[in-house]
Amino acid sequence: MRPPVGAPTLTRRTRILLVLAGLLVLLLLVGSRLINFYVDWLWFGEVGYRGVFATVLFTQIVQFLVGALLIGGLVALSLWIAYRTRPVFVPVSGPEDPIARYRTVIIQRLRLFGIGIPVVIGVIAGLAAQGDWETVQQFLNSTPFGIADPEFGIDISFYAFQLPFLRYVLDWLFVAVAIAFVVSLITHYIFGGIRLTGRAGQVSSAARAQLAILAGVFVLLKAAAYYLDRYELLFSNRSPLFTGATYTDLNAVMPAKLILLFISIICAAAFFAAVFRRNLQLPAIATVLLVLSSVLIGAAWPQVLQQFSVAPNAQQREALSIERNIEATRQAFGLTNINEIPYSGQANASPAEIRAETATMSNIRLLDPAKIERTFTQRQQLRAFYGFPSQLDIDRYEVDGKLQDFIVAVRELDTSGLSGNQTEWINQHLVYTHGNGIVTAPANQINAALEDSGGQGGLPVFTQDSPDIPESLQVTEPRTYYGELIDTYSIVGAPEGAPPMEYDTDTERYTYDGQGGVPLGNIFNRLVFALFYGERNILFNSSINEESKIMYVRDPADRVQAVAPWLTLDGDPYPAVVDGRITWIVDGYTTLENYPYAERTPLGESTTDALQPGQGGVRPELDRDISYLRNSVKATVDAYHGTVTLYAFDESDPVLQTWMKAFPGTVRPASEISPSLRAHFRYPEDQFKVQRELLTRYHVDNPGDFFNNVSFWNVPSDPSPQGAAGGGNALPQPPYYILAGTPGQPGSPPSFQLTSALVFQQREFLSAYLSVSSDPETYGQMTLLRLPDNTTTQGPQLVQSALVSDPDVSQEIGLLSRNGQSTVDYGNLLTLPVAGDLLFVEPVYIERANQEVSYPQLARVLVFYNGRVGFHPTLAGALDQVLPGAGDVVPNIPGQSPSPGPQQPAEAGTPAAPTAPPGTMNPQVAAAASAIQQAIEDLRAANQSGDFAAQGRALAALDAAVNQFQEANGQPVTPTPTSPTPGG
């Protein structure tokens, strides 16, 4: 029985159902896209960057149309030619013709297939083509670098902007021709132009001509690809040691590309000649020639040269390429102007020289912004629905004419803290809408030593608790509607005279009157946002009125990324008080993937450290390799209005100039940066991490030394417990912001710097100290203190080992932990150059274990200097133990006497007896001092023996002796702690 030839016929009801289903699917797909489009359109209008949205959209539309028309049009043309040139006599359907059935279906619906296939393929191609809009815009707005590559002498802009676009176009032409070839092949087969019957099969002249032309065009495109490959060799990764064209690339691969280019042209000519010949022998021979040439000339010959000529003499052969790589890498990553200073690191400076370094010594930071978030939360949260980021920020302000570094954090709205009826829709979105103020604390101060305050010491001195807040920290508008913790939308605004709804304090409500938010007054916008969020209350709630606005996209980094999608953002936006307003500052980078000969660096891996471990993978935007990096843009976001402003910070950057052409008017010139804003710019951490990682190798000038890894360095692994989170590969130590004197310039005023220690490769001895200034006058100036190659100056890991293994320290740490009742946590280990030496300072925090309301408190300060360890409740006391008299330049803790003198350094973990220069004490003072010293020794013995009764007696004696000492000096009597160890 013969199988049915025709296709089954659909009933009228089935057709109607299929049409309705298609319309429903189309509505769901297009409807959601239209809603998203309209919501984005409104948001970009709110922030004033609708031009960015329109430019990106227009570019993508053009790319879609070009890609769809190119691929779809070529497919349609191929189908039309193949169908029109089909054989006149089509074989009769039968068992010997397996495609007869499909041919019949196509012929019955010829228009559907003839139009539908090109349209579907074109739409798919168009959607794929619109994704790479950045390449198109960079090509259209290319800006010269003024620097030529060392091989071809072409401006770097060709490699940065034009070559990627040419490769992009070429790749799509390959795809178009390949799809057209496949479509033509299938069509000719279906309609009999190609038959597989018989031994050799049959190919009609029309099919042979069409397929030969397409194959010839494909091979011509391959010739063009060989031509572009020559330039892309300057990004070669053949060598594991450096990026760029190697000796083999220059002397074997590059000539091979030219030879293959000419062979491809000959091969294409052979395919075109097949149009006029009845057989395919000539193109077949040409194809074999091309394949063999690719194997022998393109692959085998470079391997032979590499193995037998380059490898045995690699140091000499690669010297030129390494030299080019060093120069290009330094240019591309801003490592050309580093002030390198020889530094002994073991100068054995006198106490007087150390005390003279007041800019550094008086500003030693005690508070670790990565450790005290819970302290800020417990002491300054105010309400459960406020919160602080897990890692606080550090910045500097001028107080009484002097520069002072502060720990800063915005008290943000944290909706995860809402509970009970606070989580109802009205409360969550209309009542609890904003945070409240900024919290700051001097980074080098605590309120009191822990032992001197009944367990309430070791805490930040919050500026907001002071009756006299410095003018530079006074805020005129404390309400914060935009921040890092606000992850939901809020609806704000009300008509004049209407009762306010937003929570401000327990007794007051507030109505937002700022510039932020998208108008929600008309019914259409309410309907759109109700659909967008799937929330009917937006449509029916009576509190939403004609003055209402909806706020969304509230994270400062997200707002900047949306208006400047061409930027790569730093991972640490930070708040600052600028002219009385809370302002978020976000650093933006311009990057390139291909800078000739510059080292290709994994951005995510280079920016990973103990504070940003990249758990679960690095940030998606950082998961790529770059070979060029500039901090070209400083962006600000007003915490109240949400206003986004982009400033051109590095106006000489050609990449920034290119994007400013693409998006005119979006980036303001550097001349518009106010001095008050510029005073809070920090050198960004991610850029510094990339630079220090590269500097571990690219400080080497000699190609031979570079090849042999003679003088390479490492970024030290973090010595703290979080640094060990990387398992076998400990995570790098983070860079630290400090306020200190300029390295290598004794007596210089304090400057705000980002710093990092460096160690020798596979050795834990310090090799260098890198610092970069953030001060407006010297911003970006790098200083490298380079230690001798034979130095034995201990690096962070060795210093940490020396600190924790000290017998007195380990014993006192055990006492602080209270047999597990408290946890001990080490803060950041700071490396500070002073008077030719290196001083290491590390705060030690304790926290009650298994307590929900516990928080870290500074319990001790560890100091390491020239092999000596200091350990004391105060920085002054710890310094005096290793540098007699150095504690004199450290700010006194409020309410505490000056630091103990150098004559009787206190034992780690115990109070120090007051001392005075010989001959100055009266008998009463001397007797009291002697009693204090005896009480301290008794307390030390009681601590060692674990005799709690003896501890109590010693503390009572110490209390009486201290009171006697204060009375003898005419000071008011202050209570002393009743417990030798702190409480949380």
Side-chain angles (χ1 to χ4, degrees):
M1 182 176 179
R2 298 180 62 184
V5 176
T9 303
L10 299 177
T11 64
R12 184 172 180 271
R13 180 181 179 184
T14 303
R15 291 178 179 176
I16 294 175
L17 290 175
L18 288 175
V19 171
L20 291 176
L23 290 175
L24 179 61
V25 172
L26 184 64
L27 180 62
L28 291 174
L29 293 176
V30 177
S32 62
R33 285 180 173 270
L34 289 177
I35 290 175
N36 292 338
F37 169 83
Y38 185 66
V39 168
D40 289 342
W41 177 261
L42 291 175
W43 185 85
F44 276 95
E46 173 216 336
V47 294
Y49 287 85
R50 193 166 280 168
V52 173
F53 183 78
T55 299
V56 174
L57 180 64
F58 178 76
T59 306
Q60 291 178 327
I61 290 175
V62 172
Q63 288 179 262
F64 173 85
L65 293 176
V66 171
L69 290 176
L70 173 66
I71 306 295
L74 194 56
V75 168
L77 179 63
S78 300
L79 285 173
W80 182 78
I81 293 175
Y83 180 76
R84 292 295 300 270
T85 58
R86 69 190 186 281
V88 177
F89 300 104
V90 181
V92 179
S93 301
E96 298 181 359
D97 190 359
I99 62 171
R101 178 177 180 177
Y102 304 105
R103 184 188 306 124
T104 302
V105 172
I106 293 172
I107 292 176
Q108 289 178 347
R109 297 177 177 81
L110 193 60
R111 181 170 298 178
L112 175 64
F113 283 96
I115 297 176
I117 292 177
V119 168
V120 170
I121 294 178
V123 168
I124 295 173
L127 292 174
Q130 67 181 356
D132 201 7
W133 62 269
E134 294 97 335
T135 299
V136 176
Q137 282 295 338
Q138 286 183 314
F139 172 77
L140 295 176
N141 299 281
S142 174
T143 301
F145 276 66
I147 302 173
D149 80 86
E151 180 63 26
F152 298 100
I154 302 174
D155 191 87
I156 300 298
S157 60
F158 170 77
Y159 301 92
F161 308 129
Q162 298 164 28
L163 184 58
F165 177 78
L166 296 176
R167 176 62 71 178
Y168 170 77
V169 172
L170 187 62
D171 290 343
W172 276 105
L173 290 175
F174 270 122
V175 172
V177 173
I179 293 176
F181 184 89
V182 173
V183 168
S184 300
L185 183 68
I186 294 174
T187 305
H188 280 297
Y189 176 68
I190 290 176
F191 287 99
I194 299 176
R195 301 194 66 195
L196 302 180
T197 57
R199 291 184 177 180
Q202 297 179 359
V203 180
S204 67
S205 58
R208 183 176 64 251
Q210 183 176 2
L211 296 176
I213 290 175
L214 289 173
V217 171
F218 189 90
V219 176
L220 275 182
L221 293 176
K222 186 62 179 174
Y226 284 131
Y227 181 78
L228 296 182
D229 287 346
R230 297 167 57 247
Y231 299 108
E232 292 180 345
L233 286 175
L234 303 192
F235 323 133
S236 171
N237 58 1
R238 177 184 296 273
S239 171
L241 183 62
F242 64 92
T243 301
T246 63
Y247 182 90
T248 300
D249 291 322
L250 295 175
N251 295 277
V253 180
M254 193 170 290
K257 298 292 183 181
L258 282 175
I259 296 173
L260 292 172
L261 185 154
F262 290 113
I263 293 176
S264 297
I265 294 175
I266 295 172
C267 185
F271 276 104
F272 293 143
V275 175
F276 308 101
R277 298 174 60 88
R278 295 185 58 85
N279 58 62
L280 299 176
Q281 291 180 351
L282 189 59
I285 294 173
T287 302
V288 172
L289 174 63
L290 180 61
V291 172
L292 288 176
S293 301
S294 300
V295 174
L296 297 177
I297 301 176
W301 165 237
Q303 282 296 107
V304 170
L305 182 66
Q306 177 69 30
Q307 292 296 324
F308 296 100
S309 178
V310 176
N313 309 282
Q315 182 172 338
Q316 293 78 22
R317 292 280 192 256
E318 305 292 14
L320 176 62
S321 297
I322 292 175
E323 185 177 347
R324 291 175 173 181
N325 171 251
I326 293 173
E327 181 180 359
T329 301
R330 291 178 177 178
Q331 288 176 347
F333 290 95
L335 297 173
T336 53
N337 295 314
I338 298 178
N339 182 25
E340 186 172 320
I341 302 174
Y343 197 76
S344 67
Q346 296 177 339
N348 292 317
S350 67
E353 291 175 320
I354 297 295
R355 286 196 296 270
E357 295 273 10
T358 55
T360 298
M361 299 297 292
S362 63
N363 290 291
I364 295 175
R365 178 158 59 83
L366 294 176
L367 301 181
D368 184 349
K371 298 292 184 182
I372 59 174
E373 174 269 328
R374 291 194 309 282
T375 307
F376 267 57
T377 299
Q378 291 295 331
R379 308 293 295 194
Q380 292 289 326
Q381 185 181 25
L382 300 185
R383 295 294 178 270
F385 44 81
Y386 294 140
F388 299 99
S390 59
Q391 183 176 332
L392 308 184
D393 291 295
I394 184 168
D395 198 3
R396 73 288 198 195
Y397 293 83
E398 193 170 282
V399 179
D400 297 330
K402 296 181 179 179
L403 205 60
Q404 168 71 60
D405 54 346
F406 285 82
I407 306 297
V408 297
V410 173
R411 187 187 290 113
E412 299 185 44
L413 174 70
D414 183 3
T415 54
S416 64
L418 298 173
S419 60
N421 66 345
Q422 292 175 339
T423 60
E424 293 181 356
W425 183 85
I426 293 178
N427 286 328
Q428 189 170 2
H429 297 286
L430 277 71
V431 176
Y432 300 104
T433 59
H434 60 274
N436 186 357
I438 189 169
V439 179
T440 60
N444 66 337
Q445 298 178 24
I446 56 174
N447 66 334
L450 201 57
E451 278 81 351
D452 297 340
S453 57
Q456 292 304 308
L459 298 173
V461 182
F462 295 106
T463 310
Q464 285 66 30
D465 294 340
S466 171
D468 299 319
I469 299 177
E471 183 179 355
S472 58
L473 286 166
Q474 292 179 6
V475 176
T476 57
E477 178 51 77
R479 301 173 185 91
T480 57
Y481 285 82
Y482 298 89
E484 296 178 290
L485 300 182
I486 306 175
D487 59 356
T488 186
Y489 65 91
S490 292
I491 299 175
V492 299
E496 186 176 353
M501 285 189 62
E502 302 174 49
Y503 175 89
D504 210 36
T505 68
D506 289 347
T507 59
E508 294 183 2
R509 296 294 183 267
Y510 181 74
T511 297
Y512 180 75
D513 62 356
Q515 303 171 11
V518 170
L520 204 60
N522 62 72
I523 188 64
F524 181 74
N525 280 5
R526 293 175 66 173
L527 176 61
V528 167
F529 282 100
L531 293 172
F532 182 77
Y533 287 109
E535 180 54 67
R536 65 178 181 273
N537 285 321
I538 298 177
L539 189 61
F540 297 111
N541 185 275
S542 59
S543 299
I544 301 175
N545 53 76
E546 64 276 7
E547 298 296 328
S548 294
K549 296 191 291 185
I550 183 169
M551 293 178 171
Y552 53 103
V553 189
R554 303 172 72 179
D555 186 289
D558 292 342
R559 292 177 77 82
V560 174
Q561 190 69 80
V563 303
W566 42 275
L567 282 177
T568 299
L569 301 185
D570 189 83
D572 186 22
Y574 61 98
V577 179
V578 181
D579 297 327
R581 302 198 64 85
I582 301 175
T583 303
W584 290 96
I585 300 176
V586 185
D587 287 286
Y589 306 116
T590 50
T591 62
L592 293 173
E593 293 184 6
N594 296 315
Y595 188 103
Y597 274 104
E599 186 69 11
R600 298 197 69 182
T601 301
L603 186 56
E605 181 179 329
S606 297
T607 55
T608 296
D609 60 28
L611 295 182
Q612 296 182 358
Q615 294 174 354
V618 299
R619 287 181 286 151
E621 66 271 20
L622 301 184
D623 191 16
R624 56 194 177 90
D625 293 345
I626 61 168
S627 59
Y628 178 91
L629 180 69
R630 287 289 187 277
N631 176 212
S632 298
V633 173
K634 299 285 189 179
T636 63
V637 178
D638 189 281
Y640 183 76
H641 294 294
T643 309
V644 181
T645 309
L646 307 177
Y647 295 100
F649 189 66
D650 184 359
E651 294 179 306
S652 64
D653 176 25
V655 183
L656 174 62
Q657 294 173 16
T658 296
W659 286 118
M660 291 176 68
K661 292 177 186 177
F663 301 102
T666 59
V667 182
R668 298 186 182 184
S671 59
E672 294 189 18
I673 301 175
S674 66
S676 55
L677 174 60
R678 190 180 291 272
H680 291 285
F681 285 164
R682 306 186 316 187
Y683 198 86
E685 289 185 69
D686 285 350
Q687 181 182 23
F688 186 77
K689 293 175 190 176
V690 172
Q691 290 175 320
R692 70 170 180 176
E693 178 67 34
L694 288 168
L695 199 61
T696 58
R697 291 187 294 154
Y698 287 92
H699 68 278
V700 177
D701 295 313
N702 185 280
D705 291 344
F706 190 96
F707 181 85
N708 293 319
N709 300 354
V710 170
S711 303
F712 283 4
W713 301 335
N714 275 342
V715 175
S717 55
D718 192 77
S720 63
Q722 65 264 27
N729 298 319
L731 295 171
Q733 185 181 39
Y736 296 123
Y737 289 105
I738 63 171
L739 186 64
T742 303
Q745 298 182 19
S748 60
S751 64
F752 193 66
Q753 312 163 25
L754 185 58
T755 64
S756 177
L758 298 172
V759 296
F760 291 105
Q761 191 175 51
Q762 298 180 347
R763 296 171 63 205
E764 291 299 334
F765 294 113
L766 211 64
S767 62
Y769 177 85
L770 181 64
S771 172
V772 60
S773 172
S774 293
D775 287 355
E777 299 81 8
T778 57
Y779 185 96
Q781 290 186 8
M782 279 190 174
T783 301
L784 183 71
L785 302 183
R786 187 162 181 173
L787 277 71
D789 291 340
N790 60 349
T791 185
T792 56
T793 302
Q794 300 179 46
Q797 282 288 354
L798 294 178
V799 169
Q800 183 71 14
S801 298
L803 291 174
V804 299
S805 61
D806 182 87
D808 293 334
V809 173
S810 60
Q811 176 184 337
E812 184 66 15
I813 291 296
L815 292 174
L816 287 174
S817 66
R818 289 182 172 182
N819 296 322
Q821 297 180 30
S822 297
T823 59
V824 177
D825 195 6
Y826 297 94
N828 42 212
L829 179 62
L830 300 179
T831 306
L832 304 171
V834 286
D837 284 330
L838 288 163
L839 175 69
F840 296 84
V841 179
E842 182 176 47
V844 179
Y845 298 90
I846 68 163
E847 180 178 359
R848 285 187 297 175
N850 304 318
Q851 297 288 330
E852 293 184 2
V853 295
S854 65
Y855 48 87
Q857 295 172 266
L858 182 69
R860 298 288 186 271
V861 179
L862 280 166
V863 171
F864 184 88
Y865 178 79
N866 278 346
R868 300 191 292 274
V869 174
F871 189 56
H872 196 268
T874 67
L875 174 61
L879 284 172
D880 277 331
Q881 291 174 7
V882 298
L883 290 165
D888 296 344
V889 297
V890 176
N892 292 328
I893 295 175
Q896 189 181 51
S897 301
S899 61
Q903 289 82 1
Q904 297 291 335
E907 181 177 338
T910 60
T915 62
T920 61
M921 283 189 185
N922 60 44
Q924 293 82 6
V925 173
S930 178
I932 289 176
Q933 183 62 41
Q934 183 61 46
I936 290 173
E937 293 176 0
D938 294 342
L939 177 60
R940 183 186 302 117
N943 286 337
Q944 293 175 349
S945 64
D947 188 341
F948 295 107
Q951 288 180 11
R953 291 191 298 271
L955 281 172
L958 180 60
D959 186 14
V962 169
N963 289 337
Q964 179 184 353
F965 180 84
Q966 290 175 334
E967 290 175 357
N969 279 288
Q971 299 175 356
V973 177
T974 56
T976 56
T978 59
S979 173
T981 53

